[in-house]
Amino acid sequence: MSGGNGLKKVLASDKVSEKLKEVFAEYDISFDIETGYSPQELKKVLGDYDGLIIRSKTKVTSDVLHAVGPRLRVIGRAGIGVDNIDIDAATARGIVVMNTPLSNTITTAEHAVAMILSTARQIPFANQTMHEGRWEKSLIKGVEVTGKTLGLIGCGNIGSIVSDRAKGLKLKVIVYDPFLTKSKAQQLGVALVDWDFLLANADFVSIHTPLTDKTKNLINESTILKMKDGVRIVNCARGGIVNEDDLSKHLKSGKIASAALDVFAQEPLSQESSLLGTPNLILTPHLGASTIEAQERVSLEIAHQIGDYLTSGTVVNGYNVVSLSKEDHQKLLPYKKVASQLGSFIAQVRESAYQKITWQYFGEILNLPTEPLLRVGLKNLMKGVVESVNEVNSLYLAKERGIAVEEIKNQNSLKYKNLLSLKVLTEKKEISLTATLFAGVPQIISINEVSIQASLMRHNLYLENRDEPGFIKDLASVLYEEQINIASFHLGRKKKGGKAICLITLDSQPSNDLLEKINQLPLVETSKFIFMD
């Protein structure tokens, strides 16, 4: 393996383009391609890497992930499906999972169109008979696609390309997609229809939806019986959406004239599958993404995504965390510092377990994704309490521990362009903190609803005291005795003579003995040293 001290390293455990070596060299990242690892071998080597690139062969199981140390930060799937990665285990370990959902869109769409044409003209069967030395011209009769109706189940990135190509073939395109708006359908030039209408009117049905609990076995005996006699069905999306036994049954009965599958419930396809030997059925071994262009593109895309993440923290096509453009990433950095300080501050003043954490955002900050702010704040809230917490797993770990997490968004920011507020309910009390950005620097606006304006420094002293004469004199005297210099001093109170808050920034860290002396002052109710990275 290559790489020196401190050099980031990435491993590709499945076959990828050799050009990735050039890509990672641009990021000053060491890169190895070593395929054929068994799970046990992968566990042994993976702890030496910051990133892992896989395709469909490598299985990144919970067992593998729990065996590696904290160095591994990102797993990149060169392709769309992440079924071979234990997402929950990766998230719990604080590992970002990325994929490349758009890299195979054209290739997969073109394969679907090829399958549609193949079902219409029986091209694979005709080819087979020719190679067998037979001339079956009179036996093989196809149908024209011109003027026929193509029903698309799902019209996202791939489905929309299929619709565009299909219209060029003079097919009428109807679509069932609960997430497609009427305006988008008009823009695509397709007719948005309900489920039963599509089943009853489509001459060709092409599937372009993810595999979920709702779409599993979506095409089954019940739905097939609602289709036209002689319908042709194509699935280049995900195995398991089509019930293979029901498809085979109705191909044999003639209800379905022809079908073409590129994906299967079990891959590789079992030799016991009911699909094998079924007439008028075209089978390809998951070739949707298998073009020279797509294989090259998918490898290069995931390399750049991982390179950007390891060098700048930018997340593109994150599967278990929010994705950010480089532009949004840069805009969020100062606000992440605000969230980080809020979380760190409350973590150091709280005295009992968290029960509920509420983040509230005001103003222009809502034009940016807020989840990264939530995650970084939670990370600092739980640092020192939860082992190996980071921005990736902080939300997961909070919920796993039964901590309620809430986000509230409000465009009205009162007199500030942006405000970020954190309220934490613990077993003993409620703590709240509000901050904004002032000239690009985080500034505290209030603590426990007491107005106070202060910018935190590396060393900070937080006190709650009774608002009575003598407090400042006593405190200054103790600090003077210890030769602790004050950088800034901020006071706030709700009412005269009540509880007051004091936030002091210091030039050096106070000793534990000094904190004990401060706590013994007659007007001090509590004091905490707050350290900021």
Side-chain angles (χ1 to χ4, degrees):
M1 297 176 205
S2 59
N5 292 334
L7 184 67
K8 293 183 175 66
K9 299 172 66 178
V10 173
L11 169 69
S13 59
D14 290 331
K15 187 177 180 181
V16 293
S17 171
E18 290 287 335
K19 289 185 179 180
L20 268 64
K21 294 179 179 178
E22 300 173 15
V23 173
F24 281 114
E26 296 174 7
Y27 292 95
D28 195 24
I29 293 174
S30 173
F31 177 62
D32 299 319
I33 304 175
E34 297 182 16
T35 62
Y37 282 122
S38 69
Q40 291 302 317
E41 291 169 334
L42 188 62
K43 285 194 289 186
K44 291 179 181 179
V45 302
L46 199 50
D48 295 329
Y49 289 91
D50 303 275
L52 172 67
I53 294 177
I54 64 169
R55 292 189 63 83
S56 58
K57 188 173 182 180
T58 297
K59 310 300 180 188
V60 187
T61 64
S62 175
D63 184 51
V64 169
L65 290 170
H66 281 93
V68 302
R71 180 169 179 176
L72 186 66
R73 295 174 53 198
V74 58
I75 299 171
R77 167 67 163 97
I80 299 175
V82 292
D83 305 348
N84 52 332
I85 304 171
D86 190 317
I87 301 297
D88 286 343
T91 304
R93 300 282 293 178
I95 300 168
V96 173
V97 177
M98 299 176 174
N99 63 350
T100 53
L102 302 181
S103 57
N104 296 332
T105 52
I106 293 175
T107 296
T108 303
E110 288 183 354
H111 193 66
V113 172
M115 296 285 246
I116 290 169
L117 292 172
S118 294
T119 62
R121 299 305 295 266
Q122 300 187 59
I123 293 172
F125 178 64
N127 176 69
Q128 177 187 335
T129 59
M130 289 294 289
H131 281 286
E132 292 172 353
R134 299 153 54 195
W135 186 269
E136 301 285 2
K137 182 177 180 180
S138 60
L139 176 65
I140 301 169
K141 288 289 188 292
V143 294
E144 293 181 356
V145 298
T146 300
K148 298 295 192 305
T149 297
L150 170 63
L152 297 180
I153 301 174
C155 196
N157 295 315
I158 296 173
S160 60
I161 297 174
V162 172
S163 73
D164 177 70
R165 306 300 193 263
K167 287 185 296 178
L169 293 169
K170 306 303 180 184
L171 279 153
K172 176 185 177 183
V173 182
I174 60 176
V175 172
Y176 171 74
D177 188 329
F179 302 102
L180 188 69
T181 63
K182 289 183 179 179
S183 60
K184 182 63 176 179
Q186 289 175 348
Q187 181 183 337
L188 293 172
V190 300
L192 193 59
V193 300
D194 63 30
W195 177 242
D196 287 337
F197 185 92
L198 183 142
L199 295 179
N201 291 275
D203 299 297
F204 296 84
V205 173
S206 187
I207 300 163
H208 304 284
T209 185
L211 177 64
T212 67
D213 290 340
K214 290 185 177 180
T215 62
K216 187 175 182 180
N217 289 319
L218 182 66
I219 304 301
N220 55 36
E221 181 157 32
S222 174
T223 51
I224 290 170
L225 290 175
K226 292 180 180 180
M227 295 180 184
K228 275 185 172 184
D229 290 343
V231 68
R232 289 168 167 81
I233 300 173
V234 171
N235 184 18
C236 294
R238 282 287 167 213
I241 297 175
V242 174
N243 184 297
E244 295 170 358
D245 291 340
D246 292 347
L247 180 75
S248 178
K249 174 183 175 181
H250 287 287
L251 277 164
K252 291 172 181 175
S253 73
K255 170 69 177 180
I256 302 172
S258 181
L261 302 181
D262 185 49
V263 289
F264 308 93
Q266 177 184 335
E267 295 184 3
L269 187 63
S270 168
Q271 292 301 306
E272 307 300 319
S273 172
S274 60
L275 297 174
L276 297 178
T278 299
N280 301 318
L281 176 60
I282 302 166
L283 305 176
T284 55
H286 207 145
L287 298 179
S290 295
T291 61
I292 294 170
E293 295 86 352
Q295 295 300 301
E296 186 94 336
R297 184 165 56 241
V298 75
S299 295
L300 294 174
E301 283 188 18
I302 200 63
H304 282 292
Q305 288 174 206
I306 288 181
D308 287 338
Y309 177 69
L310 291 178
T311 55
S312 70
T314 303
V315 178
V316 177
N317 295 323
Y319 197 85
N320 58 343
V321 292
V322 65
S323 296
L324 293 174
S325 65
K326 289 184 179 180
E327 182 181 7
D328 280 349
H329 175 73
Q330 290 300 317
K331 289 179 180 178
L332 273 174
L333 285 177
Y335 294 108
K336 288 180 74 173
K337 188 172 183 180
V338 176
S340 176
Q341 288 194 357
L342 294 184
S344 184
F345 189 104
I346 290 184
Q348 294 177 71
V349 301
R350 63 126 189 125
E351 296 175 345
S352 56
Y354 301 125
Q355 292 183 335
K356 184 177 181 180
I357 297 169
T358 303
W359 292 88
Q360 192 164 4
Y361 314 96
F362 300 85
E364 294 177 356
I365 194 172
L366 295 178
N367 295 324
L368 296 169
T370 58
E371 186 177 314
L373 307 180
L374 169 71
R375 288 177 178 271
V376 71
L378 284 174
K379 177 199 73 172
N380 279 8
L381 272 171
M382 295 190 290
K383 190 186 294 184
V385 177
V386 180
E387 187 179 0
S388 301
V389 63
N390 64 19
E391 292 179 37
V392 178
N393 62 11
S394 59
L395 183 58
Y396 175 93
L397 293 176
K399 293 181 178 179
E400 185 180 56
R401 281 154 179 76
I403 303 170
V405 179
E406 181 183 24
E407 282 189 289
I408 300 173
K409 301 181 180 183
N410 193 331
Q411 287 289 348
N412 180 15
S413 62
L414 304 176
K415 62 179 180 179
Y416 296 97
K417 287 185 177 181
N418 292 283
L419 285 179
L420 181 55
S421 175
L422 172 60
K423 185 181 292 184
V424 174
L425 177 65
T426 72
E427 292 176 346
K428 293 185 177 180
K429 62 180 181 179
E430 186 175 83
I431 311 166
S432 65
L433 205 60
T434 302
T436 188
L437 275 176
F438 183 75
V441 178
Q443 186 173 69
I444 303 298
I445 299 300
S446 69
I447 303 173
N448 292 336
E449 299 183 355
V450 174
S451 294
I452 188 167
Q453 294 192 1
S455 294
L456 297 172
M457 296 178 64
R458 190 174 184 84
H459 306 295
N460 309 274
L461 188 61
Y462 170 72
L463 300 98
E464 295 177 7
N465 61 281
R466 297 195 303 277
D467 181 35
E468 297 178 19
F471 163 70
I472 294 178
K473 179 181 74 66
D474 291 344
L475 178 62
S477 176
V478 172
L479 293 175
Y480 173 76
E481 289 174 6
E482 293 288 324
Q483 291 294 292
I484 299 294
N485 195 48
I486 295 173
S488 64
F489 193 99
H490 311 274
L491 285 170
R493 66 184 184 182
K494 280 188 176 181
K495 63 178 182 179
K496 181 180 178 181
K499 180 182 284 190
I501 284 176
C502 178
L503 185 59
I504 309 169
T505 60
L506 307 173
D507 286 342
S508 58
Q509 181 173 338
S511 66
N512 290 332
D513 289 342
L514 174 60
L515 292 175
E516 288 182 12
K517 290 180 181 178
I518 292 173
N519 277 324
Q520 290 171 6
L521 294 176
L523 297 177
V524 172
E525 294 185 356
T526 184
S527 69
K528 298 281 186 180
F529 172 64
I530 308 295
F531 177 79
M532 288 291 163
D533 292 328

